[in-house]
Amino acid sequence: MTVYNFNPGPAILPTEVLRRAQEEMLDYHGTGLSILETSHRSTEYEAINASAEARFKSLLGLGDEYRVLFVQGGASLQFAMLPMNRLPRDGVADYILTGAWSEKARDEAMKFGRVQIAATTEAEGYRRVPRADEIKLSDAPVYVHLTSNNTIYGTQWHEWPETDGAPLVADMSSDIFSRPLDAGRFSLIYGGAQKNIGPAGVVFVLARTDWLAGAPANVPTVLSYQTYAQTNSLYNTPPVFAVYLLDLVLEWIANAGGLSAMGRRNEEKAAIIYDAVDGGGGYYTGHAEPASRSRMNLTFRLPSPELEKRFVAEATAAKMIGLAGHRSVGGVRASLYNAMDAEGCRALAGFMNEFARRNG
Ligand code: PMP
């Protein structure tokens, strides 16, 4: 029986990619070794590492002015590595708060320099991202940080804020490569791979090359962007298997038509679920405000917490898993990353309609 995986991350991966990894598992490209047994200094791994960076930039149409680094420590380490490398003690960084992950990023930055909250929607329970007229930047911020998709609340930016020339930085952990992206607007983008582009264990840092030099001298070697840039992310042992799988996922995205195809597909998928939310005669209520709705993590409520519990339990029995909302928000959350297909969304929408009929 098909299991539909709506987990927020680690999350669904393309079956074709998993099958390919399975086929290559015991003998990678005729070496007689598994990639899991292969040295990170081998020509095979160097090719994977180079391919992953090249595919990453090619999907975004970027050239030599950007690099992609592969780092461990999760997106959480980037909350700290970013200010450690880029925020001088006397500098100010602007943070736009749209949820718990941007708060955590802000908290780390405060350990290194001054932080200004340029906007926050906390008072409204983070049910939307700020409007352009609510964003107040400081005079000369070193950078402006935002979280492109708020995994917990199910909100997403659909238009980037203007920053008057200040460098824009984003945590794109939960929507990287889910839609076309004008990456040239950003000085640095980071994110964990474990939602849209791979397994847990590797984080990408896409940055302008001039952002990768000149870390303060007291930054530890392994936490300096410059180290990763100078060594092609091979200063120390990288997460070989995670980068290998990420490279296969990027190949899958390119073969599926790239980011515009992903964007169209994800819009259609999200519409299937939001139609079930909005067309349920008021049985379901969307958690996010409509203009800020995410196409990756779709959050909604039922008439009571008891019904939400029953919904998740019955969905799980019907092999639709990972639907419980985050503990801080409750309700239901369906994560529809790239590898989820429309059929899975139709199965969930059908279940929603049927559940509302039976329990309305
Ligand atoms: N940022 C966002 C938007 C996330 O969704 C998450 C994890 N769910 C994180 C950061 C933290 O990532 P990690 O667990 O890789 O540190």
Side-chain angles (χ1 to χ4, degrees), residues 41-90:
R41 305 285 174 205
S42 63
T43 50
E44 287 76 22
Y45 184 70
E46 282 192 355
I48 290 170
N49 188 46
S51 165
E53 177 172 12
R55 283 194 217 279
F56 206 106
K57 294 204 316 188
S58 145
L59 281 168
L60 296 167
L62 296 174
D64 289 344
E65 68 284 13
Y66 281 87
R67 289 292 316 267
V68 183
L69 316 178
F70 296 112
V71 186
Q72 301 185 58
S76 299
L77 179 60
Q78 292 312 307
F79 297 163
M81 244 172 104
L82 167 69
M84 199 183 277
N85 281 266
R86 299 300 316 172
L87 178 58
R89 274 246 156 258
D90 55 355

mmCIF file of all heavy atoms in Angstrom, residues 41-90:
data_model
loop_
_atom_site.group_PDB
_atom_site.id
_atom_site.type_symbol
_atom_site.label_atom_id
_atom_site.label_comp_id
_atom_site.label_asym_id
_atom_site.label_seq_id
_atom_site.Cartn_x
_atom_site.Cartn_y
_atom_site.Cartn_z
ATOM 1 N N ARG A 41 38.293 12.204 -0.246
ATOM 2 C CA ARG A 41 39.387 12.707 -1.088
ATOM 3 C C ARG A 41 39.465 11.954 -2.412
ATOM 4 O O ARG A 41 40.390 12.147 -3.191
ATOM 5 C CB ARG A 41 40.732 12.566 -0.366
ATOM 6 C CG ARG A 41 40.788 13.226 1.004
ATOM 7 C CD ARG A 41 40.890 14.734 0.919
ATOM 8 N NE ARG A 41 40.803 15.360 2.246
ATOM 9 C CZ ARG A 41 40.393 16.595 2.451
ATOM 10 N NH1 ARG A 41 40.023 17.356 1.429
ATOM 11 N NH2 ARG A 41 40.353 17.097 3.661
ATOM 12 N N SER A 42 38.515 11.042 -2.654
ATOM 13 C CA SER A 42 38.548 10.263 -3.897
ATOM 14 C C SER A 42 38.087 11.121 -5.069
ATOM 15 O O SER A 42 37.383 12.123 -4.879
ATOM 16 C CB SER A 42 37.619 9.046 -3.764
ATOM 17 O OG SER A 42 36.281 9.498 -3.580
ATOM 18 N N THR A 43 38.466 10.705 -6.280
ATOM 19 C CA THR A 43 37.991 11.444 -7.457
ATOM 20 C C THR A 43 36.473 11.315 -7.565
ATOM 21 O O THR A 43 35.806 12.242 -8.014
ATOM 22 C CB THR A 43 38.627 10.907 -8.759
ATOM 23 O OG1 THR A 43 38.457 9.498 -8.761
ATOM 24 C CG2 THR A 43 40.091 11.258 -8.841
ATOM 25 N N GLU A 44 35.911 10.180 -7.126
ATOM 26 C CA GLU A 44 34.453 10.004 -7.212
ATOM 27 C C GLU A 44 33.749 11.048 -6.350
ATOM 28 O O GLU A 44 32.806 11.696 -6.787
ATOM 29 C CB GLU A 44 34.030 8.600 -6.735
ATOM 30 C CG GLU A 44 34.360 7.464 -7.686
ATOM 31 C CD GLU A 44 35.824 7.083 -7.672
ATOM 32 O OE1 GLU A 44 36.519 7.377 -6.655
ATOM 33 O OE2 GLU A 44 36.297 6.500 -8.667
ATOM 34 N N TYR A 45 34.204 11.219 -5.114
ATOM 35 C CA TYR A 45 33.502 12.188 -4.268
ATOM 36 C C TYR A 45 33.764 13.623 -4.732
ATOM 37 O O TYR A 45 32.872 14.459 -4.714
ATOM 38 C CB TYR A 45 33.837 12.053 -2.771
ATOM 39 C CG TYR A 45 32.977 13.054 -2.018
ATOM 40 C CD1 TYR A 45 31.603 12.870 -1.915
ATOM 41 C CD2 TYR A 45 33.515 14.249 -1.524
ATOM 42 C CE1 TYR A 45 30.773 13.826 -1.344
ATOM 43 C CE2 TYR A 45 32.695 15.208 -0.948
ATOM 44 C CZ TYR A 45 31.328 14.994 -0.855
ATOM 45 O OH TYR A 45 30.519 15.942 -0.300
ATOM 46 N N GLU A 46 34.974 13.877 -5.176
ATOM 47 C CA GLU A 46 35.242 15.242 -5.663
ATOM 48 C C GLU A 46 34.313 15.590 -6.819
ATOM 49 O O GLU A 46 33.842 16.721 -6.933
ATOM 50 C CB GLU A 46 36.710 15.394 -6.050
ATOM 51 C CG GLU A 46 37.557 15.559 -4.792
ATOM 52 C CD GLU A 46 38.985 16.009 -5.059
ATOM 53 O OE1 GLU A 46 39.375 16.105 -6.237
ATOM 54 O OE2 GLU A 46 39.696 16.250 -4.071
ATOM 55 N N ALA A 47 34.012 14.602 -7.658
ATOM 56 C CA ALA A 47 33.099 14.838 -8.783
ATOM 57 C C ALA A 47 31.682 15.106 -8.269
ATOM 58 O O ALA A 47 30.981 15.994 -8.772
ATOM 59 C CB ALA A 47 33.112 13.632 -9.723
ATOM 60 N N ILE A 48 31.252 14.360 -7.265
ATOM 61 C CA ILE A 48 29.912 14.572 -6.690
ATOM 62 C C ILE A 48 29.827 15.976 -6.092
ATOM 63 O O ILE A 48 28.877 16.727 -6.315
ATOM 64 C CB ILE A 48 29.621 13.508 -5.596
ATOM 65 C CG1 ILE A 48 29.434 12.129 -6.237
ATOM 66 C CG2 ILE A 48 28.408 13.901 -4.755
ATOM 67 C CD1 ILE A 48 29.394 10.989 -5.235
ATOM 68 N N ASN A 49 30.839 16.337 -5.331
ATOM 69 C CA ASN A 49 30.886 17.633 -4.654
ATOM 70 C C ASN A 49 30.827 18.777 -5.675
ATOM 71 O O ASN A 49 30.044 19.724 -5.518
ATOM 72 C CB ASN A 49 32.199 17.682 -3.846
ATOM 73 C CG ASN A 49 32.295 18.884 -2.938
ATOM 74 O OD1 ASN A 49 31.345 19.200 -2.235
ATOM 75 N ND2 ASN A 49 33.432 19.554 -2.956
ATOM 76 N N ALA A 50 31.613 18.650 -6.738
ATOM 77 C CA ALA A 50 31.628 19.690 -7.771
ATOM 78 C C ALA A 50 30.292 19.724 -8.506
ATOM 79 O O ALA A 50 29.756 20.789 -8.822
ATOM 80 C CB ALA A 50 32.774 19.443 -8.749
ATOM 81 N N SER A 51 29.734 18.547 -8.767
ATOM 82 C CA SER A 51 28.465 18.478 -9.479
ATOM 83 C C SER A 51 27.351 19.117 -8.645
ATOM 84 O O SER A 51 26.515 19.851 -9.172
ATOM 85 C CB SER A 51 28.152 17.006 -9.783
ATOM 86 O OG SER A 51 26.811 16.858 -10.143
ATOM 87 N N ALA A 52 27.345 18.853 -7.343
ATOM 88 C CA ALA A 52 26.288 19.407 -6.480
ATOM 89 C C ALA A 52 26.330 20.933 -6.509
ATOM 90 O O ALA A 52 25.295 21.592 -6.641
ATOM 91 C CB ALA A 52 26.440 18.887 -5.055
ATOM 92 N N GLU A 53 27.516 21.497 -6.427
ATOM 93 C CA GLU A 53 27.614 22.966 -6.476
ATOM 94 C C GLU A 53 27.190 23.484 -7.859
ATOM 95 O O GLU A 53 26.440 24.465 -7.962
ATOM 96 C CB GLU A 53 29.035 23.444 -6.149
ATOM 97 C CG GLU A 53 29.125 24.964 -6.293
ATOM 98 C CD GLU A 53 30.428 25.594 -5.810
ATOM 99 O OE1 GLU A 53 31.406 24.871 -5.554
ATOM 100 O OE2 GLU A 53 30.452 26.846 -5.678
ATOM 101 N N ALA A 54 27.658 22.813 -8.910
ATOM 102 C CA ALA A 54 27.339 23.277 -10.267
ATOM 103 C C ALA A 54 25.842 23.194 -10.538
ATOM 104 O O ALA A 54 25.238 24.118 -11.086
ATOM 105 C CB ALA A 54 28.119 22.450 -11.289
ATOM 106 N N ARG A 55 25.225 22.091 -10.151
ATOM 107 C CA ARG A 55 23.771 21.959 -10.380
ATOM 108 C C ARG A 55 23.000 23.000 -9.577
ATOM 109 O O ARG A 55 21.994 23.536 -10.040
ATOM 110 C CB ARG A 55 23.298 20.571 -9.935
ATOM 111 C CG ARG A 55 23.625 19.451 -10.885
ATOM 112 C CD ARG A 55 22.793 18.245 -10.473
ATOM 113 N NE ARG A 55 23.487 16.991 -10.631
ATOM 114 C CZ ARG A 55 23.611 16.332 -11.786
ATOM 115 N NH1 ARG A 55 23.107 16.841 -12.883
ATOM 116 N NH2 ARG A 55 24.235 15.174 -11.840
ATOM 117 N N PHE A 56 23.451 23.238 -8.358
ATOM 118 C CA PHE A 56 22.781 24.210 -7.480
ATOM 119 C C PHE A 56 22.743 25.573 -8.174
ATOM 120 O O PHE A 56 21.692 26.214 -8.277
ATOM 121 C CB PHE A 56 23.558 24.304 -6.153
ATOM 122 C CG PHE A 56 22.733 24.742 -4.986
ATOM 123 C CD1 PHE A 56 22.344 23.840 -4.014
ATOM 124 C CD2 PHE A 56 22.349 26.067 -4.852
ATOM 125 C CE1 PHE A 56 21.581 24.242 -2.929
ATOM 126 C CE2 PHE A 56 21.591 26.478 -3.774
ATOM 127 C CZ PHE A 56 21.206 25.558 -2.804
ATOM 128 N N LYS A 57 23.901 25.999 -8.679
ATOM 129 C CA LYS A 57 23.979 27.313 -9.311
ATOM 130 C C LYS A 57 23.265 27.326 -10.654
ATOM 131 O O LYS A 57 22.643 28.321 -11.028
ATOM 132 C CB LYS A 57 25.450 27.718 -9.469
ATOM 133 C CG LYS A 57 26.117 27.921 -8.119
ATOM 134 C CD LYS A 57 27.313 28.837 -8.141
ATOM 135 C CE LYS A 57 28.253 28.609 -9.273
ATOM 136 N NZ LYS A 57 29.491 29.409 -9.105
ATOM 137 N N SER A 58 23.342 26.216 -11.363
ATOM 138 C CA SER A 58 22.712 26.167 -12.682
ATOM 139 C C SER A 58 21.189 26.257 -12.563
ATOM 140 O O SER A 58 20.531 26.923 -13.366
ATOM 141 C CB SER A 58 23.188 24.901 -13.394
ATOM 142 O OG SER A 58 22.178 24.355 -14.180
ATOM 143 N N LEU A 59 20.599 25.633 -11.550
ATOM 144 C CA LEU A 59 19.148 25.734 -11.354
ATOM 145 C C LEU A 59 18.733 27.185 -11.126
ATOM 146 O O LEU A 59 17.620 27.577 -11.443
ATOM 147 C CB LEU A 59 18.694 24.876 -10.163
ATOM 148 C CG LEU A 59 18.564 23.378 -10.432
ATOM 149 C CD1 LEU A 59 18.405 22.605 -9.122
ATOM 150 C CD2 LEU A 59 17.384 23.079 -11.362
ATOM 151 N N LEU A 60 19.645 27.979 -10.564
ATOM 152 C CA LEU A 60 19.334 29.378 -10.253
ATOM 153 C C LEU A 60 19.878 30.335 -11.305
ATOM 154 O O LEU A 60 19.707 31.547 -11.197
ATOM 155 C CB LEU A 60 19.910 29.746 -8.882
ATOM 156 C CG LEU A 60 19.302 28.974 -7.702
ATOM 157 C CD1 LEU A 60 20.132 29.171 -6.449
ATOM 158 C CD2 LEU A 60 17.859 29.404 -7.461
ATOM 159 N N GLY A 61 20.569 29.787 -12.304
ATOM 160 C CA GLY A 61 21.135 30.630 -13.351
ATOM 161 C C GLY A 61 22.245 31.541 -12.837
ATOM 162 O O GLY A 61 22.417 32.660 -13.323
ATOM 163 N N LEU A 62 23.003 31.083 -11.855
ATOM 164 C CA LEU A 62 24.053 31.921 -11.262
ATOM 165 C C LEU A 62 25.424 31.574 -11.835
ATOM 166 O O LEU A 62 25.685 30.420 -12.188
ATOM 167 C CB LEU A 62 24.088 31.730 -9.741
ATOM 168 C CG LEU A 62 22.842 32.165 -8.978
ATOM 169 C CD1 LEU A 62 22.963 31.773 -7.512
ATOM 170 C CD2 LEU A 62 22.621 33.678 -9.111
ATOM 171 N N GLY A 63 26.292 32.561 -11.865
ATOM 172 C CA GLY A 63 27.646 32.351 -12.372
ATOM 173 C C GLY A 63 28.688 32.439 -11.272
ATOM 174 O O GLY A 63 28.413 32.121 -10.111
ATOM 175 N N ASP A 64 29.892 32.914 -11.662
ATOM 176 C CA ASP A 64 31.051 32.904 -10.764
ATOM 177 C C ASP A 64 30.933 33.835 -9.572
ATOM 178 O O ASP A 64 31.746 33.769 -8.652
ATOM 179 C CB ASP A 64 32.311 33.316 -11.544
ATOM 180 C CG ASP A 64 32.721 32.229 -12.515
ATOM 181 O OD1 ASP A 64 32.220 31.089 -12.350
ATOM 182 O OD2 ASP A 64 33.512 32.520 -13.431
ATOM 183 N N GLU A 65 29.949 34.725 -9.593
ATOM 184 C CA GLU A 65 29.845 35.671 -8.474
ATOM 185 C C GLU A 65 29.239 35.018 -7.222
ATOM 186 O O GLU A 65 29.173 35.626 -6.171
ATOM 187 C CB GLU A 65 29.058 36.922 -8.897
ATOM 188 C CG GLU A 65 27.575 36.731 -9.192
ATOM 189 C CD GLU A 65 27.254 36.065 -10.544
ATOM 190 O OE1 GLU A 65 28.175 35.508 -11.193
ATOM 191 O OE2 GLU A 65 26.079 36.058 -10.933
ATOM 192 N N TYR A 66 28.805 33.774 -7.375
ATOM 193 C CA TYR A 66 28.254 33.036 -6.213
ATOM 194 C C TYR A 66 28.991 31.710 -6.013
ATOM 195 O O TYR A 66 29.481 31.110 -6.962
ATOM 196 C CB TYR A 66 26.766 32.716 -6.422
ATOM 197 C CG TYR A 66 25.865 33.897 -6.144
ATOM 198 C CD1 TYR A 66 25.579 34.827 -7.145
ATOM 199 C CD2 TYR A 66 25.294 34.085 -4.892
ATOM 200 C CE1 TYR A 66 24.765 35.928 -6.897
ATOM 201 C CE2 TYR A 66 24.471 35.181 -4.639
ATOM 202 C CZ TYR A 66 24.211 36.090 -5.642
ATOM 203 O OH TYR A 66 23.410 37.167 -5.383
ATOM 204 N N ARG A 67 29.035 31.285 -4.756
ATOM 205 C CA ARG A 67 29.536 29.949 -4.426
ATOM 206 C C ARG A 67 28.470 29.230 -3.599
ATOM 207 O O ARG A 67 27.632 29.871 -2.965
ATOM 208 C CB ARG A 67 30.798 30.023 -3.530
ATOM 209 C CG ARG A 67 32.069 30.507 -4.169
ATOM 210 C CD ARG A 67 32.684 29.581 -5.220
ATOM 211 N NE ARG A 67 32.740 28.154 -4.905
ATOM 212 C CZ ARG A 67 33.770 27.533 -4.333
ATOM 213 N NH1 ARG A 67 34.840 28.208 -3.963
ATOM 214 N NH2 ARG A 67 33.745 26.226 -4.138
ATOM 215 N N VAL A 68 28.549 27.907 -3.601
ATOM 216 C CA VAL A 68 27.699 27.109 -2.723
ATOM 217 C C VAL A 68 28.611 26.305 -1.804
ATOM 218 O O VAL A 68 29.510 25.605 -2.283
ATOM 219 C CB VAL A 68 26.792 26.144 -3.517
ATOM 220 C CG1 VAL A 68 25.875 25.376 -2.565
ATOM 221 C CG2 VAL A 68 25.977 26.897 -4.552
ATOM 222 N N LEU A 69 28.398 26.438 -0.519
ATOM 223 C CA LEU A 69 29.177 25.685 0.461
ATOM 224 C C LEU A 69 28.288 24.594 1.038
ATOM 225 O O LEU A 69 27.072 24.787 1.170
ATOM 226 C CB LEU A 69 29.637 26.598 1.602
ATOM 227 C CG LEU A 69 30.189 27.967 1.223
ATOM 228 C CD1 LEU A 69 30.545 28.755 2.492
ATOM 229 C CD2 LEU A 69 31.411 27.829 0.323
ATOM 230 N N PHE A 70 28.874 23.474 1.392
ATOM 231 C CA PHE A 70 28.131 22.410 2.072
ATOM 232 C C PHE A 70 28.704 22.243 3.470
ATOM 233 O O PHE A 70 29.892 21.975 3.647
ATOM 234 C CB PHE A 70 28.196 21.115 1.263
ATOM 235 C CG PHE A 70 27.529 21.255 -0.081
ATOM 236 C CD1 PHE A 70 28.269 21.218 -1.252
ATOM 237 C CD2 PHE A 70 26.158 21.489 -0.162
ATOM 238 C CE1 PHE A 70 27.652 21.390 -2.495
ATOM 239 C CE2 PHE A 70 25.532 21.668 -1.394
ATOM 240 C CZ PHE A 70 26.279 21.614 -2.568
ATOM 241 N N VAL A 71 27.852 22.444 4.452
ATOM 242 C CA VAL A 71 28.272 22.539 5.846
ATOM 243 C C VAL A 71 27.404 21.589 6.667
ATOM 244 O O VAL A 71 26.301 21.225 6.242
ATOM 245 C CB VAL A 71 28.093 24.008 6.349
ATOM 246 C CG1 VAL A 71 28.648 24.206 7.735
ATOM 247 C CG2 VAL A 71 28.740 24.995 5.377
ATOM 248 N N GLN A 72 27.888 21.204 7.843
ATOM 249 C CA GLN A 72 27.064 20.390 8.753
ATOM 250 C C GLN A 72 26.505 21.292 9.870
ATOM 251 O O GLN A 72 26.645 22.498 9.820
ATOM 252 C CB GLN A 72 27.897 19.234 9.306
ATOM 253 C CG GLN A 72 28.428 18.349 8.173
ATOM 254 C CD GLN A 72 29.163 17.125 8.661
ATOM 255 O OE1 GLN A 72 28.624 16.301 9.401
ATOM 256 N NE2 GLN A 72 30.409 16.986 8.244
ATOM 257 N N GLY A 73 25.876 20.699 10.842
ATOM 258 C CA GLY A 73 25.389 21.492 11.981
ATOM 259 C C GLY A 73 23.971 22.030 11.817
ATOM 260 O O GLY A 73 23.471 22.742 12.683
ATOM 261 N N GLY A 74 23.333 21.695 10.708
ATOM 262 C CA GLY A 74 21.946 22.118 10.527
ATOM 263 C C GLY A 74 21.826 23.612 10.230
ATOM 264 O O GLY A 74 22.806 24.366 10.326
ATOM 265 N N ALA A 75 20.611 24.006 9.865
ATOM 266 C CA ALA A 75 20.358 25.438 9.665
ATOM 267 C C ALA A 75 20.610 26.179 10.978
ATOM 268 O O ALA A 75 20.976 27.355 10.977
ATOM 269 C CB ALA A 75 18.935 25.659 9.181
ATOM 270 N N SER A 76 20.444 25.477 12.093
ATOM 271 C CA SER A 76 20.665 26.107 13.406
ATOM 272 C C SER A 76 22.092 26.616 13.545
ATOM 273 O O SER A 76 22.323 27.633 14.196
ATOM 274 C CB SER A 76 20.359 25.106 14.525
ATOM 275 O OG SER A 76 19.015 24.699 14.442
ATOM 276 N N LEU A 77 23.057 25.908 12.975
ATOM 277 C CA LEU A 77 24.434 26.414 13.060
ATOM 278 C C LEU A 77 24.570 27.695 12.235
ATOM 279 O O LEU A 77 25.311 28.603 12.608
ATOM 280 C CB LEU A 77 25.449 25.362 12.592
ATOM 281 C CG LEU A 77 26.910 25.842 12.648
ATOM 282 C CD1 LEU A 77 27.328 26.218 14.060
ATOM 283 C CD2 LEU A 77 27.858 24.800 12.080
ATOM 284 N N GLN A 78 23.814 27.792 11.141
ATOM 285 C CA GLN A 78 23.898 29.006 10.326
ATOM 286 C C GLN A 78 23.337 30.220 11.068
ATOM 287 O O GLN A 78 23.749 31.344 10.799
ATOM 288 C CB GLN A 78 23.186 28.819 8.977
ATOM 289 C CG GLN A 78 23.898 27.833 8.081
ATOM 290 C CD GLN A 78 25.390 28.114 8.001
ATOM 291 O OE1 GLN A 78 25.807 29.226 7.703
ATOM 292 N NE2 GLN A 78 26.198 27.109 8.313
ATOM 293 N N PHE A 79 22.398 29.980 11.985
ATOM 294 C CA PHE A 79 21.912 31.106 12.799
ATOM 295 C C PHE A 79 23.106 31.798 13.468
ATOM 296 O O PHE A 79 23.119 33.015 13.629
ATOM 297 C CB PHE A 79 20.943 30.630 13.896
ATOM 298 C CG PHE A 79 19.667 29.999 13.389
ATOM 299 C CD1 PHE A 79 18.888 29.214 14.240
ATOM 300 C CD2 PHE A 79 19.224 30.194 12.094
ATOM 301 C CE1 PHE A 79 17.709 28.644 13.807
ATOM 302 C CE2 PHE A 79 18.044 29.624 11.637
ATOM 303 C CZ PHE A 79 17.282 28.834 12.492
ATOM 304 N N ALA A 80 24.109 30.983 13.868
ATOM 305 C CA ALA A 80 25.289 31.523 14.547
ATOM 306 C C ALA A 80 26.424 31.852 13.578
ATOM 307 O O ALA A 80 27.108 32.868 13.725
ATOM 308 C CB ALA A 80 25.781 30.518 15.593
ATOM 309 N N MET A 81 26.648 30.977 12.588
ATOM 310 C CA MET A 81 27.787 31.184 11.675
ATOM 311 C C MET A 81 27.650 32.494 10.901
ATOM 312 O O MET A 81 28.637 33.183 10.644
ATOM 313 C CB MET A 81 27.890 30.013 10.691
ATOM 314 C CG MET A 81 29.167 29.213 10.840
ATOM 315 S SD MET A 81 29.157 27.711 9.827
ATOM 316 C CE MET A 81 30.224 28.180 8.480
ATOM 317 N N LEU A 82 26.409 32.813 10.534
ATOM 318 C CA LEU A 82 26.185 34.039 9.762
ATOM 319 C C LEU A 82 26.665 35.282 10.528
ATOM 320 O O LEU A 82 27.547 36.005 10.047
ATOM 321 C CB LEU A 82 24.702 34.137 9.369
ATOM 322 C CG LEU A 82 24.237 35.478 8.833
ATOM 323 C CD1 LEU A 82 24.840 35.759 7.459
ATOM 324 C CD2 LEU A 82 22.714 35.544 8.763
ATOM 325 N N PRO A 83 26.156 35.547 11.734
ATOM 326 C CA PRO A 83 26.650 36.733 12.444
ATOM 327 C C PRO A 83 28.115 36.604 12.860
ATOM 328 O O PRO A 83 28.841 37.611 12.890
ATOM 329 C CB PRO A 83 25.728 36.832 13.666
ATOM 330 C CG PRO A 83 25.147 35.474 13.842
ATOM 331 C CD PRO A 83 25.066 34.883 12.466
ATOM 332 N N MET A 84 28.554 35.402 13.163
ATOM 333 C CA MET A 84 29.948 35.199 13.558
ATOM 334 C C MET A 84 30.885 35.663 12.438
ATOM 335 O O MET A 84 31.925 36.266 12.669
ATOM 336 C CB MET A 84 30.135 33.691 13.790
ATOM 337 C CG MET A 84 31.320 33.287 14.606
ATOM 338 S SD MET A 84 31.385 31.477 14.686
ATOM 339 C CE MET A 84 30.260 31.136 15.989
ATOM 340 N N ASN A 85 30.498 35.393 11.193
ATOM 341 C CA ASN A 85 31.320 35.748 10.044
ATOM 342 C C ASN A 85 31.049 37.148 9.517
ATOM 343 O O ASN A 85 31.919 37.779 8.952
ATOM 344 C CB ASN A 85 31.083 34.752 8.895
ATOM 345 C CG ASN A 85 31.825 33.438 9.087
ATOM 346 O OD1 ASN A 85 32.930 33.277 8.597
ATOM 347 N ND2 ASN A 85 31.224 32.501 9.815
ATOM 348 N N ARG A 86 29.800 37.608 9.654
ATOM 349 C CA ARG A 86 29.421 38.812 8.906
ATOM 350 C C ARG A 86 28.995 40.009 9.750
ATOM 351 O O ARG A 86 28.845 41.097 9.216
ATOM 352 C CB ARG A 86 28.267 38.496 7.935
ATOM 353 C CG ARG A 86 28.553 37.460 6.886
ATOM 354 C CD ARG A 86 29.703 37.792 5.960
ATOM 355 N NE ARG A 86 29.735 39.158 5.476
ATOM 356 C CZ ARG A 86 30.734 39.684 4.791
ATOM 357 N NH1 ARG A 86 31.800 38.956 4.518
ATOM 358 N NH2 ARG A 86 30.692 40.929 4.393
ATOM 359 N N LEU A 87 28.755 39.807 11.036
ATOM 360 C CA LEU A 87 28.239 40.924 11.843
ATOM 361 C C LEU A 87 29.305 41.412 12.820
ATOM 362 O O LEU A 87 29.564 40.785 13.842
ATOM 363 C CB LEU A 87 26.981 40.465 12.610
ATOM 364 C CG LEU A 87 26.325 41.481 13.544
ATOM 365 C CD1 LEU A 87 25.922 42.759 12.805
ATOM 366 C CD2 LEU A 87 25.108 40.872 14.232
ATOM 367 N N PRO A 88 29.936 42.550 12.521
ATOM 368 C CA PRO A 88 30.939 43.076 13.445
ATOM 369 C C PRO A 88 30.279 43.553 14.741
ATOM 370 O O PRO A 88 29.082 43.877 14.740
ATOM 371 C CB PRO A 88 31.543 44.273 12.694
ATOM 372 C CG PRO A 88 30.914 44.304 11.351
ATOM 373 C CD PRO A 88 29.727 43.400 11.343
ATOM 374 N N ARG A 89 31.057 43.587 15.799
ATOM 375 C CA ARG A 89 30.548 44.014 17.129
ATOM 376 C C ARG A 89 29.792 45.336 17.069
ATOM 377 O O ARG A 89 28.785 45.524 17.731
ATOM 378 C CB ARG A 89 31.716 44.184 18.119
ATOM 379 C CG ARG A 89 32.110 42.926 18.814
ATOM 380 C CD ARG A 89 31.825 42.967 20.337
ATOM 381 N NE ARG A 89 31.678 41.589 20.819
ATOM 382 C CZ ARG A 89 30.516 41.008 21.084
ATOM 383 N NH1 ARG A 89 29.385 41.662 20.978
ATOM 384 N NH2 ARG A 89 30.466 39.766 21.481
ATOM 385 N N ASP A 90 30.326 46.267 16.261
ATOM 386 C CA ASP A 90 29.695 47.589 16.202
ATOM 387 C C ASP A 90 28.693 47.701 15.045
ATOM 388 O O ASP A 90 28.197 48.776 14.756
ATOM 389 C CB ASP A 90 30.771 48.685 16.066
ATOM 390 C CG ASP A 90 31.670 48.424 14.853
ATOM 391 O OD1 ASP A 90 31.518 47.362 14.209
ATOM 392 O OD2 ASP A 90 32.508 49.289 14.541
#
